Amino acid sequence: MKKNLLVAAMSAMLVIGTAITSFADTYDPQYPLKGYMEPWFISSPVTGETAWKSDPHNFINEPVGPMQYAFDLVVTNKEPLSLNYFRAEELAAIAKLTNYRTTGLSPDQENVDRLATELQNFLNSFDWRNASDYEKAVQVAKRITKADYLDQEGTQYAYSCLVDGKANCNGYTNAAYLLSACVGLPSNGLGYVSHIYPSFLVDGVWLAYEPTTKDNYFTVADVYAPSYYLVGEPQLTQLGEYCKATGYQIPESVEGKFPNISYGIIYGKQAPFIKFN
């Protein structure tokens, strides 16, 4: 009996040791995304330079057009993490935290360093590798709303939100995309012609967040709300089109699925408010 217990204990220690060794092989505290983000970097078939794998600019030679081809890939693979892509500055900041050598990006290095520092601080602020999707969404929401709302030219970028501390609706949303990508949380934007806000895929449910008013709650995203009308026909956002193409259904109830749910009125209907501290 003692021998069996000893063998079992040694086996458990071997498994744990293997897991720790594997983790250590892919994680470097100096480069917190090492072993995690490299699959997203490719050499662009168009320019031969470093690119984000889902960037439509990689597909400019496709007959259906680059945007449509990139979107079709996301739908075919059912990979909502591929809905977003990033500017050179943002891509270089991710690469820096991955210790990935890039070619051809050529952004301002000081800006890259500042943005990378903010990303690293965010990643160090919670145990993102073991966090739930809900916790990741909460942390992203809290981080982007540290920036003050300012609707003017230059505040539409992730950099302006995370480094300068100023953002319009696009700045908040682009910062949400960047932070979410770093922690593996699918995100995309909703809204209408003059306003956009981020949504996060949390445990199979798209949750919307309004950062311009610094809300402390999510709502169930109405992914099928039109963003505008063209000749009287409703046009969906990219997220709406993705959800339509993949058969996503807005849940009738999220009771018991998320913590701290209260109810209020949105557009004349009772709706859940998923509050966080």
Side-chain angles (χ1 to χ4, degrees):
M1 180 67 176
K2 290 182 178 179
K3 183 178 180 181
N4 290 340
L5 288 174
L6 180 60
V7 170
M10 291 178 67
S11 298
M13 290 176 66
L14 179 61
V15 170
I16 294 171
T18 300
I20 292 174
T21 301
S22 176
F23 181 77
D25 287 345
T26 59
Y27 180 75
D28 180 340
Q30 185 178 0
Y31 302 102
L33 295 177
K34 184 177 177 63
Y36 184 72
M37 298 296 281
E38 289 92 337
W40 288 93
F41 292 98
I42 66 166
S43 178
S44 170
V46 176
T47 65
E49 299 171 348
T50 300
W52 192 252
K53 75 171 187 178
S54 60
D55 189 333
H57 293 97
N58 297 324
F59 314 117
I60 60 174
N61 297 321
E62 296 297 332
V64 297
M67 298 297 291
Q68 187 62 51
Y69 187 85
F71 178 77
D72 290 345
L73 279 179
V74 177
V75 172
T76 299
N77 297 328
K78 292 188 176 180
E79 188 180 44
L81 274 168
S82 293
L83 283 169
N84 303 321
Y85 57 98
F86 301 101
R87 301 169 67 237
E89 182 177 78
E90 298 157 359
L91 198 57
I94 297 173
K96 180 175 181 178
L97 296 186
T98 310
N99 197 23
Y100 185 93
R101 185 168 295 180
T102 64
T103 59
L105 295 181
S106 303
D108 183 297
Q109 191 57 49
E110 288 187 1
N111 285 358
V112 171
D113 293 343
R114 293 188 188 102
L115 186 55
T117 296
E118 294 302 327
L119 293 181
Q120 186 165 33
N121 290 341
F122 172 72
L123 295 169
N124 288 338
S125 69
F126 71 110
D127 184 9
W128 60 274
R129 289 180 180 269
N130 296 302
S132 66
D133 288 348
Y134 179 77
E135 184 180 358
K136 291 176 182 178
V138 169
Q139 293 299 329
V140 171
K142 287 182 174 180
R143 176 60 187 89
I144 63 176
T145 50
K146 287 183 178 181
D148 295 325
Y149 177 69
L150 181 63
D151 189 11
Q152 66 179 35
E153 179 59 33
T155 62
Q156 69 267 41
Y157 305 114
Y159 182 95
S160 60
C161 179
L162 299 175
V163 179
D164 295 334
K166 298 178 177 62
N168 61 15
C169 62
N170 283 286
Y172 286 123
T173 303
N174 286 325
Y177 293 167
L178 182 57
L179 297 178
S180 296
C182 287
V183 297
L185 179 68
S187 66
N188 203 241
L190 288 173
Y192 37 89
V193 174
S194 59
H195 181 62
I196 189 171
Y197 53 89
S199 295
F200 310 100
L201 183 59
V202 178
D203 297 329
V205 179
W206 284 99
L207 298 182
Y209 180 65
E210 179 51 78
T212 60
T213 52
K214 300 182 184 288
D215 291 340
N216 67 337
Y217 58 84
F218 301 110
T219 57
V220 177
D222 185 0
V223 296
Y224 297 121
S227 59
Y228 66 97
Y229 288 84
L230 182 64
V231 195
E233 291 295 321
Q235 306 297 308
L236 297 178
T237 62
Q238 180 190 52
L239 177 56
E241 293 290 353
Y242 172 79
C243 289
K244 180 180 178 181
T246 55
Y248 173 76
Q249 294 184 343
I250 301 173
E252 294 182 2
S253 172
V254 292
E255 194 66 38
K257 194 172 182 66
F258 302 108
N260 198 14
I261 298 176
S262 62
Y263 290 86
I265 302 298
I266 299 179
Y267 300 123
K269 297 181 180 179
Q270 187 181 52
F273 290 76
I274 303 159
K275 294 188 175 182
F276 54 86
N277 296 323

